């Protein structure tokens, strides 16, 4: 009988190229079942219980339909942290970490000049990966995050609580809830924004 890893790779072979099928299988097994890449390479992939196999087959069905593995597993890795994700939020992208690193560096530069309580706003927070990571990297910063989606805010709040990050979450479409607020740093990494979007006019860079 094929082990769960081999079964999953076999099923995904018709959807993904061989290397990608193996990578997707490893991500799903590690994030959803705790089976690591080392376990796979060492041949230590354990037998699954009937309930686990049923769950695995259900997840494989979703993968075969093209659903991203992060949504199927319910988690995504970002900056060494595990974030809960769902179809209602964007999957954290590796390149987004560059934005977080830049923000943390900017905070470090400014705190060296005496501004030790910078106010940071993350617009369209989604899973909360940006706001949460900044809050953890810069514990003296006052971090706010907003999203117009209640579902997204629920996911972001859960991630902040689980990871121990202090972030204030607000339901807001862009700046609508912050008309009288001022921030030292505003960050955002939305999927797509048209160049003539009226909300961009509210941003001022010096």
């Amino acid at each position: 009988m094929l082990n769960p890893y081999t079964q999953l790779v076999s099923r995904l072979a018709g959807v993904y190229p061989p290397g990608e099928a193996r990578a997707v299988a490893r991500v799903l097994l590690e994030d959803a079942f705790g089976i690591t890449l080392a376990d796979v390479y060492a041949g230590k992939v354990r037998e699954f219980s009937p309930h686990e196999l049923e769950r695995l087959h259900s997840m494989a069905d979703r993968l075969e339909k093209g659903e991203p593995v992060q949504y199927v597993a319910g988690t995504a890795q970002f900056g060494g942290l595990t974030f809960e994700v769902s179809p209602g939020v964007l999957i954290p992208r590796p390149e987004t970490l560059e934005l977080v690193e830049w923000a943390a560096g900017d905070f470090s530069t400014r705190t060296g000049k005496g501004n030790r309580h910078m106010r940071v706003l993350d617009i369209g927070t989604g899973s909360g990966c940006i706001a949460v990571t900044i809050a953890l990297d810069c514990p003296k910063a006052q971090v706010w995050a907003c999203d117009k989606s209640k579902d997204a805010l629920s996911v972001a709040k859960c991630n902040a609580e689980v990871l121990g990050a202090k972030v204030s979450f607000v339901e807001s479409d862009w700046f609508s809830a912050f008309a009288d607020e001022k921030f030292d740093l505003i960050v955002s990494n939305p999927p797509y924004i048209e160049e003539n979007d009226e909300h961009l006019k509210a941003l001022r860079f010096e």
Side-chain angles (χ1 to χ4, degrees):
M1 183 177 179
L2 297 177
N3 67 41
Y5 171 72
T6 306
Q7 289 185 52
L8 187 55
V9 171
S10 178
R11 286 194 59 175
L12 298 180
V15 183
Y16 301 97
E20 189 173 353
R22 291 192 293 270
V24 169
R26 290 196 298 267
V27 169
L28 182 65
L29 289 176
E30 182 167 357
D31 289 359
F33 297 95
I35 294 176
T36 67
L37 179 60
D39 293 331
V40 173
Y41 284 156
K44 296 180 180 179
V45 180
R46 58 181 172 77
E47 292 289 340
F48 276 25
S49 69
H51 174 72
E52 288 176 320
L53 282 175
E54 182 179 353
R55 183 182 174 212
L56 180 64
H57 290 323
S58 176
M59 289 178 164
D61 289 341
R62 294 168 63 184
L63 290 172
E64 285 182 318
K65 295 176 182 178
E67 189 171 352
V69 63
Q70 292 88 348
Y71 288 154
V72 175
T75 59
Q77 303 300 313
F78 182 79
L81 301 172
T82 300
F83 285 82
E84 176 187 333
V85 294
S86 68
V89 303
L90 292 177
I91 297 169
R93 302 189 294 271
E95 57 270 24
T96 302
L97 190 59
E98 296 179 14
L99 174 63
V100 173
E101 291 171 345
W102 173 84
D106 187 72
F107 176 84
S108 178
T109 298
R110 296 199 190 194
T111 53
K113 298 178 181 179
N115 187 0
R116 297 188 177 278
H117 297 286
M118 277 180 59
R119 289 168 57 83
V120 180
L121 173 63
D122 174 27
I123 299 174
T125 194
S127 67
C129 65
I130 293 176
V132 168
T133 306
I134 290 176
L136 293 174
D137 288 348
C138 309
K140 292 183 179 180
Q142 298 175 5
V143 182
W144 296 71
C146 69
D147 204 294
K148 67 179 181 179
S149 166
K150 288 185 174 64
D151 290 339
L153 286 175
S154 178
V155 172
K157 288 178 181 178
C158 178
N159 283 324
E161 182 177 350
V162 170
L163 294 170
K166 187 176 180 180
V167 181
S168 298
F169 292 97
V170 177
E171 183 179 346
S172 177
D173 184 8
W174 285 83
F175 301 99
S176 59
F178 302 98
D180 300 320
E181 299 285 345
K182 293 183 179 180
F183 295 91
D184 299 287
L185 184 64
I186 297 174
V187 294
S188 183
N189 192 20
Y192 300 101
I193 301 179
E194 295 183 4
E195 291 185 3
N196 61 352
D197 191 299
E198 62 180 13
H199 295 99
L200 292 181
K201 299 176 183 178
L203 292 174
R204 295 291 184 267
F205 300 96
E206 299 180 356

